[in-house]
Amino acid sequence: EAPSHSLVSSSNSSSTGSTSLLNMEDDFMKYRSPLVSRYASKEMAYNFSDRKKFTTWRKLWIYLAKAEKALGLPITDAQVQEMENEERKLRHDVMAHVHTFAHCCPTAAPIIHLGATSCYVGDNTDLIMLRDGFDILLPKLARVIDRLANFAEKYADLPTLGFTHYQPAQLTTVGKRACLWLQDLVMDMRNLQRARDDLRFRGVKGTTGTQASFLQLFQGDHDKVEELDRMVTDMAGFKKSYLVTGQTYSRKVDIDSLSCLASMGATIHKICTDIRLLANMKEIEEPFEKEQIGSSAMPYKRNPMRAERCCSLARHLVALLADPLQTASVQWLERTLDDSANRRISLPESFLTADIILTTLQNITEGLVVYPKVIERHIRHELPFMATENLIMAMVKAGGNRQDCHEKIRVLSQQAAAVVKQEGGDNDLLVRVQADPYFAPILGQLDSLLDPKTFIGRAPQQVARFLSEEVRPLLEPYKSKMDVKIELEL
């Protein structure tokens, strides 16, 4: 059964200043999760609060009583009305324990929780919180995707160095790279939506899931037991309930919910790591406030602290997935209670952490700063090496021998590389090519052969098609929620 909860009245407006001071001092003597005290949005913190949990319990008892009355059990309008009045009157108090509720509703006391087990309120409330948690996260993820899509569109044709093995590779564009981030976020969006839509209600299943107590209440009428389950499920806002459960709904449901959050955490860690790498190169930076201090010791620094926060919390989100995996694996037979304490931590923390990193990432993507001149300088430093194949092909077209040209380019490239690596100088391959009479036939083509935009392939076209076919349609249901801007307290 559900444990009793001690009720502590909050201080009212007549409390003395010294009492408030003592309460504040007492708060500093206890551990407070930074997920709530420092980072999380009010809506997500409330979604997993005791207040939300216990008021949901009350609603579930009312749903059960209403459905049982409608199906013929001797429950009066007065009893239901008393419960509704009390729930409405005290819906902001953490008092929704069955005994407290019964004490407040003496007329309804005999029928509160009728036929149910503690998992009727506990598990069904958890499912409501998971559903509502997804409903909080999905618009936030949509806004991140929207901001990043705008960024990708703006820089769709801005050439930049691509990297493989974190070594300079063929050129891509700033917008195309952003689409790689977007593609993962789009997958996360679909995963979250699927997990949310797949959630079902536990419904009214009884102590071991057999509905025996309800079959007894309805004197063996199976149709009424099934209708009771359907009615309560519908009142709670779910389309379906799980047809079979033990005492609890399958803990694989928790795996399904938290795995898509952990997967999103991995996505955001990768995105923010990329931003941190690019910030080191001074190509792209996260927003930086006018009064923000980058480093206490080095005033010139602009640390990517938002991206670092995302990475730090994303690791926690990914790690939390181990909890539901292990919990589901050790649920003995119809259930065992060693899931309870773990789930009180892992379920809320996963949603709270996901909420925080999405909020932070929205702030980042709303203010990303690009430095085209720095990007151009990096391209100029590497492009001569990348253009060697173009030079060879141009010489062949001009009547040269490929093998001879390849050897010439190889020698000059090694000489230029030595200047870069051993002397710390600039890449002077083009100067060497221009000075060698062998390349006289193509000197007039060098500018076009080395135009960065000739090295980006179909990147701009890929960006346009990806945004129009896959990103924008996904955001359509969230258009009315796109205007929210994020300002962070650093």
Side-chain angles (χ1 to χ4, degrees), residues 165-393:
H165 313 275
Y166 201 40
Q167 302 299 313
Q170 277 194 348
L171 300 192
T172 183
T173 68
V174 172
K176 171 63 189 296
R177 177 177 285 143
C179 284
L180 298 182
W181 301 338
L182 272 168
Q183 181 165 246
D184 289 352
L185 289 171
V186 165
M187 292 172 67
D188 293 321
M189 185 82 171
R190 290 174 179 147
N191 287 341
L192 262 67
Q193 189 66 62
R194 181 206 51 76
R196 188 258 184 239
D197 292 343
D198 280 354
L199 284 173
R200 297 187 184 187
F201 204 50
R202 179 186 176 272
V204 284
K205 297 298 194 298
T207 307
T208 57
T210 64
Q211 299 177 305
S213 56
F214 297 104
L215 190 63
Q216 185 176 0
L217 278 175
F218 288 105
Q219 300 179 347
D221 191 327
H222 291 269
D223 290 339
K224 285 191 175 181
V225 174
E226 289 207 4
E227 182 63 9
L228 176 71
D229 199 5
R230 188 202 63 76
M231 290 176 68
V232 174
T233 297
D234 185 63
M235 289 179 192
F238 286 81
K239 294 179 180 178
K240 293 182 179 180
S241 66
Y242 297 106
L243 296 181
V244 293
T245 72
Q247 189 172 85
T248 68
Y249 67 79
S250 169
R251 294 313 184 212
K252 281 185 71 68
V253 174
D254 296 343
I255 295 174
D256 197 30
S257 296
L258 268 58
S259 64
C260 66
L261 299 184
S263 181
M264 184 178 73
T267 295
I268 293 175
H269 199 296
K270 184 264 192 291
I271 292 171
C272 289
T273 299
D274 283 355
I275 291 172
R276 292 163 66 191
L277 293 170
L278 293 168
N280 172 261
M281 298 165 61
K282 298 181 174 59
E283 291 192 357
I284 292 180
E285 287 180 345
E286 64 179 42
F288 197 87
E289 309 299 336
K290 288 182 179 179
E291 304 299 323
Q292 184 177 330
I293 296 173
S295 167
S296 59
M298 294 163 280
Y300 62 88
K301 290 189 74 181
R302 296 180 63 157
N303 297 335
M305 58 190 304
R306 293 168 174 83
E308 289 174 321
R309 179 186 295 177
C310 283
C311 288
S312 183
L313 290 169
R315 286 201 299 275
H316 180 57
L317 181 55
V318 170
L320 282 168
L321 180 56
D323 280 339
L325 286 167
Q326 295 188 58
T327 295
S329 72
V330 295
Q331 287 300 287
W332 300 349
L333 305 174
E334 277 64 49
R335 85 85 53 102
T336 178
L337 198 60
D338 66 349
D339 63 338
S340 180
N342 185 291
R343 294 175 71 252
R344 283 196 186 100
I345 299 168
S346 60
L347 297 187
E349 286 206 357
S350 291
F351 279 83
L352 286 163
T353 306
D355 178 71
I356 297 159
I357 60 176
L358 282 175
T359 298
T360 308
L361 186 58
Q362 181 183 335
N363 178 261
I364 292 172
T365 53
E366 285 177 348
L368 279 176
V369 181
V370 177
Y371 296 104
K373 293 297 182 184
V374 177
I375 293 172
E376 184 183 341
R377 185 173 73 243
H378 290 158
I379 290 174
R380 284 201 310 268
H381 191 70
E382 300 290 345
L383 192 58
F385 292 142
M386 297 177 190
T388 53
E389 184 62 25
N390 286 19
L391 297 178
I392 293 171
M393 295 305 295

